[in-house]
Amino acid sequence: MADRRPWWQGAVGYEIYIRSFQDTDGDGVGDMEGIRRRLPYLADLGVNILWITPCFPSPGFDHGYDVSDYRDIDPLFGTLDDLDRVVAEAHDLGMKVLADLVPNHSSHEHPWFRAATADPEGPYRDYYVWRDPAPDGGPPNNWVSHFGGPAWTLHEPTGQYYMHLFLPEQPDLNWHNEKVREEFDEILRFWFERGIDGFRIDVAHSLLEDQEFRDNPKREGDALHGEIPGTQFDHFDHVHNLDQPEVPDIYRRWNRIAAEYDAMLVGEVYVLEAERLVRYVDGGRALHSPFYFATLKARWDGREIRETLGKGTAINGDTLSWPLSSHDDPHAAERFGGGEVGARRALAYLTLLMGLPGLPFLYQGDEIGLDNGRVDVKEDPIAVRNEGAVGRDGVRTPVPWSPDEPGFGFTTGEPWLPFGSNRDASTTIAAQMDDPTSQWHRTRALLHLRRELDDLRFGPMPIWLEGHADVVAFARGDAVVAMNAGKVPREVALPAGSWTVVFDTREGRTDRPVDTEVTIAPDHAVVLRHTG
Ligand code: GLC
């Protein structure tokens, strides 16, 4: 029987933050050719889907998330031909490529915004969100930017404010305008025609805002004074400019286009409540998979992890993408304590994600248990604009490929961000590839195991196993995955039958039959196979 499953079902994703992945021209910034050269590495590691962060022409105020041309490649990264080569060679190696679409806002240097500011009567004005000042001349309402300060900037020549959920250099597009929707239909087709297999959609929950532009309510008990601007965002319930009911209509429209090309839509839907993700998928008629960012927030606590993951699957079935880390949040190893402990826990956590229905996504460097680079520069706009804020630079430091080459094999030049004072030979990919006991080998073994144990990819929904609160364990058909977040070894009673431990984060692939229960060391995880 022909395989009717979508190609992404059971796949493992890998996020490439292009600026920091692999430089090949010595300018200190990663590039398309760097990705191409590392494709065999990625295929061997066992990932199936590559998400490449924005590589389109951009003045770079938010490192590519401010796009000035949606149909080209920034010369910093290469050319359209370079991208074509990446896609073709990835396909030859059995991998798919997702581009990063940024539809919420463009760059202020995009010709649409230039036209909108130059000619307030012209057709492009309404591509963006313009409002008259409040009676006192200030911003039209109390909306604030993610990056600090008001979400409005006055355009003095025309006397109106434009809205920007992020930087003033990232004006929000007006998705109530049908013309904007038509533009993006064509942008989608442009990339699908070129062979791109789908998109990761940036801030996918925020494309529309209330048309009455009402103030957002303040959260109870929060004082705004004396705070760094970036935290003001958290003082409001963004009921009028995030997660608006009509947003999924846009993805239903894109879903029909994607279907013509058998392409995938993964959304950065940054709402933490599992219930609120359901309508973005709409039974497969809108996004194919939203990221479930609660995965990045769970602390190293069995109960909390069990609850977070359990809620995700109970409500969303097999549609979720599970990020281990991302370029916006700390590396998993950082989050779970840093150093060796953090790395060990990150691998145990990844083992759980690998067993869940849906798509686990690694972020570059996770395969060697990287924690954040210790750097004291400020490149990230969050850090630049907010005195005292921890920005995202630490998670974006370049990949340390090799200990023997200058620039850790990332660049022959000066890296755009330092590697961090906590990088040495042991935190390089090459060193870990030489050591069969390393995190890299364990991670690779886990990814390959997942391909062999069909129930980890396509099995029934997890049945959560009872046990001590430190333990997170579930069965999926012929597989059991169990992790111990506590400080002492814990036993987990197994479902009826005989079971064999086939993967242990302490030893990698193994073949150890057990009786009615399995013992898990603290900060470790195991995968078992039903053997009769
Ligand atoms: C998303 C991106 C982030 C970027 C923001 C604005 O959250 O992941 O890196 O700064 O959107 O585009």
Side-chain angles (χ1 to χ4, degrees):
M1 197 180 82
D3 190 352
R4 284 160 179 274
R5 291 190 187 107
W7 54 258
W8 52 86
Q9 203 172 337
V12 176
Y14 185 99
E15 179 190 353
I16 295 177
Y17 189 71
I18 185 168
R19 295 181 71 89
S20 299
F21 188 64
Q22 175 69 68
D23 178 26
T24 57
D25 59 6
D27 66 356
V29 179
D31 46 45
M32 229 11 117
E33 172 61 11
I35 297 177
R36 192 192 68 75
R37 291 192 200 163
R38 294 295 183 185
L39 290 172
Y41 164 82
L42 294 165
D44 173 65
L45 182 63
V47 299
N48 316 101
I49 298 179
L50 308 176
W51 147 30
I52 303 176
T53 55
C55 48
F56 317 108
S58 161
F61 286 87
D62 189 18
H63 300 123
Y65 284 97
D66 47 327
V67 177
S68 54
D69 180 354
Y70 287 96
R71 288 185 176 81
D72 205 349
I73 301 295
D74 195 302
L76 186 63
F77 303 124
T79 62
L80 280 168
D81 286 345
D82 293 329
L83 175 82
D84 290 346
R85 272 192 286 277
V86 166
V87 173
E89 292 184 29
H91 288 173
D92 287 347
L93 290 163
M95 295 183 292
K96 303 280 191 179
V97 179
L98 305 183
D100 201 328
L101 189 68
V102 189
N104 180 70
H105 45 267
S106 71
S107 159
H108 67 311
E109 291 186 10
H110 194 290
W112 298 335
F113 192 69
R114 286 183 189 281
T117 48
D119 180 6
E121 305 303 323
Y124 290 101
R125 183 72 168 184
D126 196 35
Y127 272 41
Y128 295 88
V129 183
W130 294 95
R131 303 295 288 168
D132 289 333
D136 68 357
N141 66 19
N142 73 353
W143 296 354
V144 290
S145 148
H146 263 290
F147 292 162
W152 299 95
T153 291
L154 181 65
H155 180 245
E156 285 183 14
T158 55
Q160 282 196 308
Y161 280 87
Y162 66 89
M163 208 269 280
H164 50 87
L165 207 47
F166 295 90
L167 295 174
E169 293 83 3
Q170 295 169 294
D172 270 48
L173 285 157
N174 175 17
W175 278 89
H176 288 280
N177 181 349
E178 174 63 20
K179 285 266 174 283
V180 169
R181 296 185 187 217
E182 287 168 10
E183 295 275 9
F184 273 84
D185 289 350
E186 291 317 308
I187 291 166
L188 252 61
R189 285 184 193 284
F190 174 85
W191 292 108
F192 290 153
E193 289 291 339
R194 278 204 107 85
I196 285 287
D197 301 295
F199 289 102
R200 174 267 188 188
I201 301 154
D202 192 58
V203 285
H205 55 300
S206 61
L207 270 48
L208 295 172
E209 47 287 324
D210 175 39
Q211 289 302 278
E212 290 174 41
F213 294 88
R214 285 168 285 193
D215 278 355
N216 280 323
K218 274 197 197 138
R219 292 201 168 123
E220 291 287 311
D222 277 333
L224 275 180
H225 303 290
E227 293 277 354
I228 54 173
T231 58
Q232 290 177 358
F233 195 84
D234 298 329
H235 288 287
F236 292 92
D237 273 329
H238 296 268
V239 291
H240 295 310
N241 60 349
L242 296 183
D243 194 23
Q244 300 298 291
E246 310 83 19
V247 175
D249 290 344
I250 297 166
Y251 306 126
R252 279 185 276 275
R253 175 171 178 146
W254 291 4
N255 184 296
R256 291 191 288 274
I257 300 174
E260 292 172 36
Y261 299 89
D262 192 22
M264 180 188 200
L265 304 174
V266 184
E268 188 206 14
V269 185
Y270 217 115
V271 296
L272 299 180
E273 299 82 0
E275 313 71 62
R276 286 162 69 192
L277 297 173
V278 177
R279 60 193 185 81
Y280 285 88
V281 176
D282 188 20
R285 286 177 291 275
L287 295 179
H288 300 106
S289 180
F291 274 108
Y292 179 41
F293 287 101
T295 318
L296 295 179
K297 305 292 173 193
R299 286 165 303 178
W300 192 246
D301 175 90
R303 219 185 287 264
E304 195 168 319
I305 292 173
R306 153 80 180 79
E307 200 181 299
T308 304
L309 305 184
K311 234 189 207 168
T313 52
I315 298 171
N316 294 276
D318 63 358
T319 61
L320 296 179
S321 285
W322 307 92
L324 178 62
S325 312
S326 88
H327 69 288
D328 289 329
D329 291 276
H331 271 293
E334 179 79 20
R335 197 164 78 236
F336 294 142
E340 270 177 41
V341 173
R344 196 182 310 138
R345 291 175 174 173
L347 179 60
Y349 196 60
L350 177 66
T351 308
L352 287 180
L353 303 185
M354 282 286 160
L356 293 173
L359 288 104
F361 265 82
L362 286 85
Y363 172 57
Q364 63 192 35
D366 281 345
E367 66 269 42
I368 56 170
L370 270 193
D371 50 16
N372 285 11
R374 302 278 172 262
V375 295
D376 52 14
V377 296
K378 285 185 175 188
E379 284 285 344
D380 175 21
I382 293 185
V384 173
R385 290 166 64 93
N386 297 283
E387 195 55 43
V390 181
R392 301 169 293 182
D393 292 315
V395 75
R396 298 175 176 183
T397 55
V399 174
W401 289 99
S402 142
D404 312 318
E405 302 165 51
F408 282 112
F410 163 70
T411 183
T412 53
E414 191 62 33
W416 77 282
L417 261 185
F419 290 89
S421 53
N422 52 335
R423 299 289 185 255
D424 61 20
S426 71
T427 56
T428 63
I429 290 181
Q432 292 208 13
M433 287 174 83
D434 283 346
D435 171 6
T437 69
S438 68
Q439 180 111 352
W440 184 85
H441 276 278
R442 302 273 146 85
T443 305
R444 180 177 180 278
L446 178 64
L447 266 58
H448 284 256
L449 170 74
R450 191 166 190 263
R451 294 177 173 188
E452 289 163 37
L453 266 185
D454 270 359
D455 277 349
L456 290 185
R457 293 184 295 161
F458 313 124
M461 283 298 121
I463 296 174
W464 298 86
L465 304 180
E466 294 305 324
H468 189 276
D470 288 341
V471 166
V472 186
F474 56 86
R476 285 188 74 200
D478 280 341
V480 161
V481 183
M483 185 197 84
N484 178 2
K487 292 192 169 26
V488 296
R490 295 278 175 208
E491 284 75 43
V492 181
L494 296 165
S498 6
W499 293 87
T500 299
V501 179
V502 289
F503 176 79
D504 187 324
T505 52
R506 277 180 309 180
E507 50 185 319
R509 285 298 287 269
T510 179
D511 195 12
R512 181 161 33 93
V514 287
D515 285 334
T516 53
E517 59 180 31
V518 61
T519 305
I520 316 157
D523 294 340
H524 283 281
V526 291
V527 179
L528 299 100
R529 182 200 291 254
H530 190 223
T531 41

